Amino acid sequence: EQIVRGYDALGEFLNTPLDYRPFEARARQRMEVFAHRRRGSRIAVGESVCGSPFDIALLLLSLGIQVPFVFRDRLQPWDTPALARLAQLAPDLPIYSGVHPETARRSEALPRADLALGLDAGYFCPQGVSVAWPWEKAWFGFEALEALLDLLESGFDAPKGHREQMKGSYLTV
């Protein structure tokens, strides 16, 4: 629904309707396939991702994916609607700060995840597969949704540890 609202707002701004229905249908089909294959998996969501970690957590929950925790250091104004929905759907969902020293001290006690999305989540999930979805990728709308699902599938199908993922996705020194 949020993607549809974005396209509708863009069309209103451009003063022309946008026919996004074929792209929406393709994305919904892709979501169904992903949900069927990965339902019950545990994916931790970091804040070092392209988009809101809370929106991504909502998407994953809607697909039957377990979200053991989310990282967010500072709440942004645009986080409020998704955070309010998460409070209703998953009131016990832990939200951690990746920069707080206590998080590093207790990282072994964090809930297990099969896959960690984002640099920070990968750092705190050494037992899980790590995938990066960095900001420099400028996806939008249904393309972004499909790219995210493809990325998550690649994490399950060709697993990489956090160190290997960092070398391939981020500037390393």
Side-chain angles (χ1 to χ4, degrees), residues 44-47 53-54 57 67-72 86 93-97:
V45 182
E47 80 169 341
F54 300 124
V67 179
F69 55 88
V70 173
F71 279 100
R72 186 63 148 178
L86 278 174
L93 175 66
I95 300 169
Y96 298 108
S97 168

Side-chain angles (χ1 to χ4, degrees), residues 91-147:
D92 296 329
L93 175 66
I95 300 169
Y96 298 108
S97 168
V99 297
H100 194 281
E102 197 61 29
T103 305
R105 277 188 282 248
R106 296 184 179 198
S107 62
E108 281 83 31
L110 292 177
R112 287 192 58 84
D114 302 313
L115 193 140
L117 177 62
L119 174 66
D120 45 354
Y123 179 80
F124 289 107
C125 291
Q127 79 283 359
V129 173
S130 182
V131 293
W133 202 35
W135 279 102
E136 61 266 13
K137 304 288 186 183
W139 291 294
F140 177 78
F142 296 116
E143 179 188 32
L145 175 58
E146 290 187 67

Side-chain angles (χ1 to χ4, degrees), residues 27-158:
R28 288 194 184 281
Q29 182 180 26
R30 182 72 185 86
M31 288 168 59
E32 289 175 20
V33 170
F34 182 84
H36 178 74
R37 289 189 73 201
R38 303 302 177 188
R39 185 170 279 117
S41 298
R42 298 166 299 189
I43 300 178
V45 182
E47 80 169 341
S48 61
V49 294
C50 181
S52 163
F54 300 124
D55 287 333
I56 293 171
L58 280 171
L59 169 69
L60 295 172
L61 290 169
S62 76
L63 298 175
I65 306 299
Q66 298 175 35
V67 179
F69 55 88
V70 173
F71 279 100
R72 186 63 148 178
D73 295 328
R74 280 187 318 172
L75 293 178
Q76 302 296 333
W78 55 83
D79 288 330
T80 304
L83 194 54
R85 288 199 56 213
L86 278 174
Q88 293 173 337
L89 294 174
D92 296 329
L93 175 66
I95 300 169
Y96 298 108
S97 168
V99 297
H100 194 281
E102 197 61 29
T103 305
R105 277 188 282 248
R106 296 184 179 198
S107 62
E108 281 83 31
L110 292 177
R112 287 192 58 84
D114 302 313
L115 193 140
L117 177 62
L119 174 66
D120 45 354
Y123 179 80
F124 289 107
C125 291
Q127 79 283 359
V129 173
S130 182
V131 293
W133 202 35
W135 279 102
E136 61 266 13
K137 304 288 186 183
W139 291 294
F140 177 78
F142 296 116
E143 179 188 32
L145 175 58
E146 290 187 67
L148 173 62
L149 296 176
D150 289 344
L151 177 73
L152 295 174
E153 282 289 5
S154 73
F156 284 112
D157 294 341

